[in-house]
């Protein structure tokens, strides 16, 4: 792949910067061959991979090297894009927002520093994957549970910092203390870790004064080198209620039935409800069902539901905790569902630790169209109001049909808010289809904006569009974010453009792809 | 020739022949050396461990790589630890450049010495999990 340099940087400056980096991390850990650069491209790129092409990668081994790398990056004005393990598939993978940015690959920093069974937390470095932490717990028989996202290949730290979530909720909400390297190289610990010998660093979120953990999440103000994450003690028992809803319009009553239960803690986790399509995209190819270039028609939907014995909407409700409490909560759930439906949903009882471990199995959904595939997700956050949720679904599905794409949606109900993850699958080698994907995505941003909903997380190529939709008082929040950015990162070397936050040095790059 | 066409051509070649593809060797990863490394028991064991740590989440029973390979090449070719037709060059190429839906693997995730150990493991006679 052709080398793309950072904007405004000459080849000679770039060479001097990499030579200085090699003196810190060693020649072996400055990666700059064609193959090296390609390994950091967006595997699922919805547009041109080159739009987010890195120039090189630098892989430090420890915190001291991270500090030194950032100081040298300032000296040479080399922009860096930190990644933990680079598996942010659907949102850009490892790739940087601005072409020419060099990767700061933290994958070598992969220590599980502490797992505390008594108080329920772990302290990990960015290179620790979900498989690593899961194996660590199993090998040592540590009775703690971790939230695991659909793609278990990724980093525990990276996922939490992107606001990834699972049935156990928003993983960033479990962050309790960070170790940071600021863009200018200073080392900081947040919360109670700000004390030289702070014993409550992983235990109390706020410390004294402003709380910085959530300032760092989805931002570009610092490199996270350690993260303290709360974990859930193992449960005594679990009950799963296999909810299958026959019709698209059943979504409304289901939200009405479950939201109060989630709000009151009867359901102790996100209420997830997913459209029928999720059952087909992983184990089958689209061509087995339908050859048309329009959205899958109703009769095919019926065949998919029949073959996989699923409803139009599906969502197991999982209750977990003490066995007697689970039984009491089950009665509450069944009573709430019975108010709206005479259908009997299957109930399964099991041990508390019967959750599946990490997996990459869901990734094969990108093979839906055959050949090289990809996906992106459009995920606005909205009120968990039954009528609004139903309307959001219907409007979004009409948009998929308008652009000839297969609807695949999930709502995660968290009591007050609902996050609507709309999965868009495509073939990477079908330029016409990818153009329809682009138009659909922009239409969904506009639609949601008109309703007062905004996305919680997005792909690199749409970060500026989504940031622009947060427009109260002339984009006052974005201006504040960029004021902070310019103060902490005066040379704009850290992750320029991440989530729409551009440093002064590269602000002209906003919106460019 | 586009990368996609090149990769698919390479995949077909490797699936049908024991021979490496000299025409592609120069385009493979920077660490490429045509033959498999000398397969000492220690190197093979290192390769097995690296495979378990870095590859098995997709390429053992029930993994997404196994599933997609079965779809493309048939069940008998789907578990790569049981394959005997994977040329060293082909393994290196696929790891570093990816193939169809398999992402490219960086030298941070699988450093060159570990890749060579994986090559030795997968090239060893009767290699198995």
């Amino acid at each position: 792949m052709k080398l793309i340099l950072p904007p405004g940087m000459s080849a000679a400056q770039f060479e001097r910067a990499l030579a200085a980096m090699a003196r810190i991390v060693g020649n072996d850990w400055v990666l700059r061959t064609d193959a090296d650069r390609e390994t950091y491209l967006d595997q699922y790129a919805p547009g041109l991979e080159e739009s987010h092409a890195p120039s090189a990668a630098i892989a430090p081994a420890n915190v001291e090297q991270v500090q030194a790398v950032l100081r040298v990056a300032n000296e040479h004005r080399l922009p860096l894009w930190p990644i933990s393990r680079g598996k942010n598939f659907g949102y850009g993978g490892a790739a940087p927002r601005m072409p020419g940015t060099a990767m700061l690959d933290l994958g070598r920093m992969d220590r599980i520093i502490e797992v505390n069974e008594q108080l329920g937390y772990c302290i990990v470095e960015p290179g620790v994957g979900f498989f690593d932490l899961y194996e660590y717990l199993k090998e040592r028989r540590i009775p703690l549970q971790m939230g695991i996202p659909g793609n278990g290949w990724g980093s525990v730290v990276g996922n939490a910092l992107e606001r990834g979530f699972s049935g156990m909720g928003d993983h960033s909400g479990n962050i309790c203390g960070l170790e940071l390297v600021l863009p200018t190289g200073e080392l900081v610990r947040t919360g109670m870790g700000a004390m030289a010998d702070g014993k409550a660093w992983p235990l109390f979120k706020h410390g004294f004064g402003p709380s910085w953990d959530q300032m760092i999440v989805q931002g570009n103000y610092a490199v996270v080198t350690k993260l303290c994450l709360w974990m859930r003690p193992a449960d005594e028992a679990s009950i799963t209620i296999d909810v299958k809803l026959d019709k698209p319009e059943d979504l409304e009553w289901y939200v009405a039935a479950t939201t109060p239960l989630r709000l009151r803690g009867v359901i102790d986790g996100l209420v997830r409800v997913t459209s029928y399509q999720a059952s087909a995209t992983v184990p089958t190819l689209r061509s087995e069902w339908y050859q048309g270039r329009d959205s899958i028609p109703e009769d095919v939907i019926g065949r998919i539901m029949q073959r996989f014995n699923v409803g139009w909407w599906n969502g197991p409700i999982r209750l977990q905790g003490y066995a007697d409490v689970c039984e009491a909560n089950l009665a509450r759930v069944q009573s709430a569902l019975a108010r709206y439906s005479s259908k009997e949903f299957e109930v399964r009882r099991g041990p508390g630790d019967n959750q599946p471990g990490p997996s990459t199995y869901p990734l094969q959904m990108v093979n839906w169209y055959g050949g090289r595939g990809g996906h992106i997700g459009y995920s606005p956050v909205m009120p968990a109001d039954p009528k609004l949720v139903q309307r959001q679904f219907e409007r979004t599905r009409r948009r998929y049909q308008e652009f000839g794409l297969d609807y695949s949606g999930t709502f995660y109900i968290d009591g007050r808010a609902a996050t609507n993850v709309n999965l868009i699958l495509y073939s990477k080698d079908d330029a016409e289809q990818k153009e329809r994907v682009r138009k659909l995505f922009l239409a969904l941003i506009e639609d949601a904006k008109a309703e007062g909903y905004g996305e919680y997380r997005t792909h690199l190529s749409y970060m500026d569009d989504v940031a622009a939709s947060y427009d109260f008082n002339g984009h006052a929040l974005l201006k504040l974010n960029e004021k902070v950015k310019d103060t902490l990162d005066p040379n704009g070397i850290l992750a320029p453009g991440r989530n729409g936050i551009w440093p002064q040095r590269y602000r002209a790059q906003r919106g460019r792809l | 020739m586009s990368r996609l066409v090149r990769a698919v051509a390479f995949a077909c070649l490797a699936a049908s022949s024991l021979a490496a593809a000299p025409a592609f060797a120069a385009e493979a990863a920077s660490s490429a050396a045509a033959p498999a490394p000398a397969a000492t028991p220690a190197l093979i064991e290192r390769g097995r461990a690296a495979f378990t740590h870095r590859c098995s989440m997709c390429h053992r029973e029930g993994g997404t790589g196994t599933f997609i390979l079965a779809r493309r090449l048939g069940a008998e070719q789907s578990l790569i630890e049981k394959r005997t037709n994977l040329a060293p060059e082909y393994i290196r190429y696929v790891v570093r450049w990816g193939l169809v839906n398999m992402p490219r693997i960086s030298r941070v995730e699988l450093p060159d010495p570990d890749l060579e150990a994986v090559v030795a493991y997968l090239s060893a006679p009767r290699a198995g999990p």
Side-chain angles (χ1 to χ4, degrees):
Chain A
M1 191 194 79
K2 176 174 161 265
L3 170 63
I4 299 174
L5 294 172
M9 190 174 219
S10 71
Q13 289 171 315
F14 182 69
E15 290 301 325
R16 283 196 293 274
L18 291 194
M21 294 296 180
R23 286 192 286 276
I24 299 165
V25 299
N27 284 321
D28 287 349
W29 299 108
V30 175
L31 309 171
R32 53 176 312 181
T33 67
D34 282 357
D36 287 330
R37 284 193 291 272
E38 295 235 1
T39 57
Y40 294 97
L41 291 175
D42 179 10
Q43 174 73 16
Y44 296 164
L48 296 173
E49 289 178 329
E50 288 74 13
S51 298
H52 305 292
S55 53
I58 295 129
N62 53 47
V63 177
E64 293 73 21
Q65 288 190 1
V66 173
Q67 292 180 271
V69 162
L70 288 171
R71 290 190 187 107
V72 164
N74 273 283
E75 188 182 331
H76 294 271
R77 308 292 193 265
L78 178 67
L80 299 171
W81 185 268
I83 58 166
S84 301
R85 288 176 48 78
K87 310 300 180 193
N88 196 20
F89 297 137
Y91 300 96
R97 167 64 185 84
M98 184 177 76
T101 305
M103 309 305 303
L104 179 60
D105 189 335
L106 304 171
R108 295 173 68 203
M109 298 169 62
D110 59 358
R111 291 180 304 158
I112 297 172
I113 294 164
E114 182 186 358
V115 175
N116 190 302
E117 176 184 331
Q118 181 196 352
L119 298 172
Y121 68 83
C122 64
I123 304 177
V124 291
E125 291 187 322
V128 175
F130 286 97
F131 283 95
D132 302 323
L133 186 55
Y134 184 79
E135 291 300 323
Y136 185 97
L137 297 177
K138 289 293 172 197
E139 283 171 10
R140 291 162 181 77
R141 298 178 185 277
I142 298 173
L144 291 174
Q145 302 176 78
M146 52 196 276
I148 302 171
N151 170 20
W153 199 11
S155 155
V156 174
V157 170
N159 177 269
L161 293 175
E162 277 292 315
R163 297 208 175 96
F165 58 86
S166 64
M168 289 171 68
D170 168 16
H171 296 170
S172 77
N174 290 329
I175 296 173
C176 183
L178 300 171
E179 180 182 88
L180 311 170
V181 180
L182 299 182
T184 40
E186 297 92 334
L187 187 66
V188 175
R189 287 186 176 177
T190 65
M192 304 302 286
M195 299 176 73
D197 193 23
K199 296 289 192 294
W201 187 30
L203 308 177
F204 181 71
K205 289 183 178 178
H206 310 301
F208 184 69
S211 180
W212 273 82
D213 290 354
Q214 293 299 323
M215 283 280 287
I216 302 305
V217 171
Q218 287 195 352
N220 51 8
Y221 301 148
V223 176
V224 174
T225 49
K226 290 185 185 68
L227 183 143
C228 311
L229 195 72
W230 285 352
M231 303 178 79
R232 179 186 173 104
D235 290 305
E236 182 181 277
S238 67
I239 297 177
T240 304
I241 306 139
D242 281 323
V243 175
K244 298 174 186 175
L245 308 175
D246 298 332
K247 303 185 295 294
E249 55 269 30
D250 287 339
L251 180 63
E252 181 173 334
W253 74 252
Y254 186 62
V255 174
T258 54
T259 298
L261 301 175
R262 171 67 189 127
L263 204 55
R264 288 165 177 80
V266 174
I267 300 173
D268 183 20
L270 297 177
V271 178
R272 173 172 63 88
V273 59
T274 301
S275 63
Y276 71 92
Q277 169 127 353
S279 62
T281 46
V282 172
T284 60
L285 292 170
R286 188 180 195 267
S287 57
E288 297 172 35
W289 301 99
Y290 188 58
Q291 303 286 344
R293 285 182 71 80
D294 54 337
S295 297
I296 282 184
E298 297 296 335
D299 63 313
V300 177
I301 294 173
R303 283 198 285 125
I304 291 174
M305 288 168 59
Q306 192 173 20
R307 172 161 160 193
F308 292 106
N309 187 26
V310 296
W312 213 102
W313 294 105
N314 303 277
I317 296 175
R318 183 179 161 85
L319 307 171
Q320 53 191 17
Y322 293 112
D324 54 340
V325 176
C326 285
E327 293 295 339
N329 286 336
L330 172 64
R332 290 283 180 186
V333 172
Q334 288 179 316
S335 166
L337 296 176
R339 279 205 292 276
Y340 298 93
S341 171
S342 58
K343 198 171 174 181
E344 282 204 16
F345 301 108
E346 185 185 346
V347 172
R348 290 178 286 125
R349 289 174 172 79
D353 62 352
N354 63 348
Q355 285 281 68
S359 168
T360 59
Y361 187 71
L363 292 180
Q364 68 199 30
M365 67 185 171
V366 298
N367 203 209
W368 177 236
Y369 286 97
R372 299 193 313 161
H375 73 79
I376 52 175
Y378 182 70
S379 310
V381 180
M382 58 175 300
D385 175 272
K387 287 192 186 311
L388 294 179
V389 167
Q390 185 70 34
R391 202 182 305 160
Q392 165 71 11
F393 151 65
E394 288 169 0
R395 185 179 52 248
T396 303
R397 189 180 180 213
R398 279 196 300 274
R399 283 295 198 187
Y400 273 71
Q401 289 166 335
E402 177 186 342
F403 293 102
L405 294 157
D406 298 334
Y407 176 78
S408 184
T410 300
F411 285 85
Y412 294 89
I413 310 295
D414 194 18
R416 296 176 178 84
T419 302
N420 174 209
V421 177
N422 297 290
L423 184 71
I424 308 172
L425 292 163
Y426 47 85
S427 163
K428 278 185 70 178
D429 298 307
D430 185 337
E432 186 275 330
Q433 186 187 50
K434 286 201 297 184
E435 178 58 16
R436 282 186 278 133
V437 168
R438 190 185 70 82
K439 288 177 177 169
L440 169 64
F441 204 95
L442 293 174
L444 291 176
I445 294 176
E446 276 189 27
D447 288 351
K449 174 72 181 72
E451 297 292 327
Y453 314 151
E455 238 198 331
Y456 87 99
R457 179 184 184 187
T458 202
H459 184 275
L460 295 169
S461 295
Y462 297 99
M463 284 178 170
D464 290 329
D465 299 289
V466 172
S469 72
Y470 284 76
D471 59 354
F472 170 74
N473 191 23
H475 299 96
L477 182 62
L478 183 59
K479 289 174 184 170
L480 171 62
N481 286 339
E482 292 190 341
K483 196 177 287 186
V484 174
K485 177 66 177 168
D486 290 340
T487 302
L488 293 177
D489 186 8
N491 295 313
I493 55 104
L494 193 61
R498 186 163 193 246
N499 278 39
I501 303 169
W502 289 94
Q504 179 67 46
R505 183 178 186 79
Y506 295 114
R507 216 155 275 165
Q509 301 295 319
R510 193 192 318 273
R512 288 193 188 175
L513 288 173
Chain B
M1 187 187 291
S2 73
R3 268 203 319 282
L4 171 65
V5 175
R6 213 163 60 205
V8 171
F10 204 5
C12 295
L13 181 73
S16 60
S17 166
L18 289 175
F24 296 106
E27 294 174 292
S30 61
S31 60
T40 63
L43 187 67
I44 291 172
E45 175 52 27
R46 177 177 175 174
R48 191 197 62 75
F51 184 93
T52 299
H53 189 47
R54 295 300 189 194
C55 316
S56 68
M57 69 281 285
C58 291
H59 283 296
R60 279 190 179 152
E61 201 75 56
T64 193
T66 301
F67 188 93
I68 291 182
L69 280 171
R71 182 181 275 169
R72 210 173 76 232
L73 302 176
E76 68 283 359
Q77 299 284 329
S78 63
L79 276 168
I80 61 176
E81 285 172 293
K82 292 188 174 172
R83 296 266 293 269
T84 55
N85 60 349
L86 296 172
E89 283 306 325
Y90 177 68
I91 298 167
R92 295 183 186 102
Y93 182 93
V94 172
V95 167
R96 294 292 183 232
W97 295 89
L99 180 66
V100 194
N101 288 306
M102 175 175 155
R104 312 157 181 105
I105 307 298
S106 78
R107 288 200 284 156
V108 172
E109 183 156 6
L110 189 70
D112 287 339
D114 286 343
L115 172 57
E116 289 308 303
V118 169
V119 168
Y121 170 59
L122 294 178
S123 303
R126 297 180 180 277

